[in-house]
Amino acid sequence: LADFENLTGEPVFDQALSEGLATALQQSRHVNVFPRARTLEALERMKRSKATRVDEALAREICQRENVRVFIVGSVRRSGETYQITARAIEPVSGMLLFAENEQFQRQDEVFDRVDSLSRRVRTNLGESLVEIQRTSRPLAQATTRSLTALHQYSTAMEAMARGDVGSVPVLLETALTADPEFAMAHLRLGRFYAVPGARAKALEHLARAYALRGGVTEREQYFIAGTYHSTRGEYEKAVENLKV
């Protein structure tokens, strides 16, 4: 996924739509989303590590280098009271447009439903069956957070962590949890952050909360939360079981 182009002038959409669409697509067993960390590693090899945004041209080059078959370029814009999200899928070698989809909404609290709908249509266009999409899809607001502010803070924290700017991560994640105290993945990431320097009590507090809330995330993230939780508690056999799945 290239970074969404935010043409609204509203910072709350920065990074949040890319994160939301990635989470929605990752529910699929048919589609794999190229990880953000590997995108940044590719930029390092390309001597472009200072790039602040992965735009269409940069995404195309990364895909050609890393043998990724399709990339998606997204944008969000506002006209009067109406917002429009657009996603275009492009074949990186030829630059051919494979398909384009868009969704409109008028209130920020509608954005999760629209991203859900966009994700389902992208998955259909990429060849996944409607039966499988219906079977594996959870509403994005249930799989992540119901707060756009929380998702914005979380996605900014994930970008900072991927770029090695770890100093800003705890504040961003705490802000996300202030906006939505039941944001399971924010608890997980904060718990993992505290576990690195050995702040075990804080780490376990957040990991236990993530574990308790894991029923509301995607299937893949459920196993990730359980594996991390058991590993930090020293329950390594249980951790391995979950991470293998």
Side-chain angles (χ1 to χ4, degrees):
L1 299 181
D3 291 332
F4 265 74
E5 186 177 11
N6 180 5
L7 302 170
T8 67
E10 299 172 41
V12 73
F13 290 110
D14 291 344
Q15 299 292 339
L17 291 180
S18 299
E19 184 74 35
L21 184 58
T23 300
L25 290 174
Q26 282 167 349
Q27 298 186 68
S28 172
R29 295 187 177 185
H30 179 78
V31 174
N32 284 318
V33 179
F34 193 69
R36 185 67 174 181
R38 287 183 62 190
T39 297
L40 296 177
E41 288 171 7
L43 289 174
E44 287 276 356
R45 293 193 295 274
M46 293 161 59
K47 311 299 183 188
R48 299 289 299 278
S49 59
K50 293 184 179 180
T52 57
R53 182 173 167 272
V54 179
D55 60 12
E56 180 174 341
L58 206 48
R60 183 176 178 185
E61 186 174 351
I62 290 168
C63 289
Q64 289 176 307
R65 285 171 172 265
E66 303 296 323
N67 197 30
V68 178
R69 295 171 60 189
V70 180
F71 70 96
I72 294 174
V73 180
S75 66
V76 57
R77 64 184 71 238
R78 182 176 183 176
S79 177
E81 296 300 313
T82 302
Y83 296 89
Q84 179 168 291
I85 307 173
T86 300
R88 294 181 293 119
I90 298 170
E91 197 284 315
V93 176
S94 66
M96 181 176 68
L97 176 68
L98 301 175
F99 59 84
E101 299 286 357
N102 66 77
E103 288 284 339
Q104 294 185 343
F105 60 99
Q106 293 187 317
R107 301 191 315 273
Q108 288 187 359
D109 60 4
E110 296 177 283
V111 68
F112 295 102
D113 289 340
R114 300 283 66 79
V115 172
D116 276 330
S117 179
L118 197 66
S119 167
R120 287 192 292 270
R121 299 221 303 275
V122 167
R123 289 168 65 179
T124 300
N125 281 316
L126 291 173
E128 191 168 357
S129 72
L130 290 173
V131 172
E132 185 66 12
I133 292 170
Q134 290 170 354
R135 190 183 71 80
T136 59
S137 294
R138 296 177 62 98
L140 183 60
Q142 294 178 22
T144 52
T145 172
R146 291 176 171 81
S147 166
L148 184 58
T149 299
L151 186 60
H152 168 63
Q153 296 294 321
Y154 174 82
S155 57
T156 305
M158 293 301 93
E159 180 71 6
M161 187 177 291
R163 292 184 179 276
D165 177 21
V166 295
S168 63
V169 168
V171 174
L172 289 165
L173 291 176
E174 291 284 8
T175 305
L177 288 170
T178 298
D180 180 4
E182 297 192 345
F183 192 172
M185 288 303 292
H187 280 293
L188 173 78
R189 298 296 184 181
L190 198 53
R192 284 168 62 87
F193 178 87
Y194 285 131
V196 172
R200 182 175 171 80
K202 273 191 169 183
L204 283 174
E205 175 189 346
H206 286 287
L207 291 173
R209 187 70 181 130
Y211 188 75
L213 294 167
R214 72 191 187 282
V217 301
T218 66
E219 184 182 25
R220 194 175 297 192
E221 288 173 340
Q222 286 178 18
Y223 291 114
F224 183 40
I225 287 173
T228 304
Y229 171 73
H230 289 303
S231 177
T232 305
R233 287 167 55 90
E235 299 165 348
Y236 299 118
E237 288 186 8
K238 289 182 178 179
V240 167
E241 287 173 12
N242 281 279
L243 295 174
K244 276 186 175 179
V245 177

